[in-house]
Amino acid sequence: MTATALPDDIAPDEREPSRSVWAEFRRGLAAMAPILLGVAPFALVLGSQAAMKGLSPLEVALMCGLNFAGGSEFVAIELWHSPPQIALIAGMTLLVNCRHLLMGASFAPHLRRLRPWQAALVLFVMADETWALGMDDARRRMAVTGRPGISLPYYAGLAVSLYIAWVAVTVLGAVVGPVLGNPHAYGFDMAFTAVFLVLIRGMWKGWRHALPWPVSLGVAAITHLAVPGAWYVPAGTLAGLAVAYFVAGTETPEAAP
């Protein structure tokens, strides 16, 4: 169904579905709830690995709370030695987190109506899960209202629940990890893959638009096998962007009715 553009003289709150702030916040909580079931196991894995590297629960909480980017935290823990090579860890973390540049760029049109401090908070808690669910909701809202923008209460429900769960469960993993032993023996690390498969399914728009995904995966896998370090992250990202640009350039605009 094609969305009909609404007149520009209608106030924003009249163009959008009428929901209370609390109702929108609860909608965000409900949307994130099933994702948290998948996030919890690999948060336990991260906490357990951090404890085995000698980090205290407080240090784990600070790492997760200030960085809040699961992939780079795993990389940092893998590279952590005593004494730590700070430059190497910072460089690899930057490489892994470079995907946030692309996520932030795609999110930018939906943040233009926000105050700078509001946009800064949105971007601080922008993880893969909050970005995917937030973008999906923003696109649905734009189809109805004709204007880009996000529902801040809905996004807050997503972000607050994920932030608290991620930090709390990672700290729990740091506390109970030494008792449980090697977390990989329980298969918890597969939860990371499962969560991303769910997110990809939610963004499915057909095979043509999904072409950058397998290309990015293939390039990243080959780079991972051939080049040491985390260079597979930017390699996969750039390959996916190139294919996405090619696909967008070959699309034929639909004729106006």
Side-chain angles (χ1 to χ4, degrees), residues 7 27 31 44 47 67 71 109 126 138 145 148 163 176 180-181 187 195 209 214 223 240-242 245 250 256:
R27 188 168 69 90
L44 284 172
N67 186 42
M126 185 188 68
T145 67
Y163 188 91
V176 304
L180 294 177
V195 168
H209 291 89
T223 306
L241 280 176
Y245 180 81
T250 57

Side-chain angles (χ1 to χ4, degrees), residues 89-207:
I89 293 174
M92 291 297 104
T93 298
L94 177 63
L95 285 176
V96 174
N97 282 345
C98 69
R99 71 190 189 281
H100 286 248
L101 295 173
L102 305 175
M103 291 158 58
S106 65
F107 225 174
H110 301 287
L111 306 181
R112 289 173 182 166
R113 297 169 61 188
L114 301 181
R115 296 188 177 101
W117 67 269
Q118 291 175 322
L121 284 176
V122 167
L123 294 175
F124 174 74
V125 292
M126 185 188 68
D128 299 283
E129 296 82 1
T130 54
W131 172 81
L133 294 176
M135 278 293 296
D136 182 64
D137 186 68
R139 287 168 179 163
R140 293 173 187 270
R141 288 166 58 83
M142 188 166 63
V144 174
T145 67
R147 292 181 180 178
I150 65 171
S151 168
L152 274 181
Y154 170 78
Y155 189 85
L158 297 175
V160 169
S161 56
L162 179 62
Y163 188 91
I164 292 176
W166 178 250
V167 175
V169 178
T170 307
V171 171
L172 177 63
V175 173
V176 304
V179 178
L180 294 177
N182 184 6
H184 294 286
Y186 302 95
F188 285 167
D189 48 328
M190 282 302 298
F192 194 88
T193 304
V195 168
F196 278 92
L197 289 175
V198 171
L199 294 177
I200 288 174
R201 177 62 184 89
M203 301 176 69
W204 179 262
K205 292 184 178 179
W207 285 106

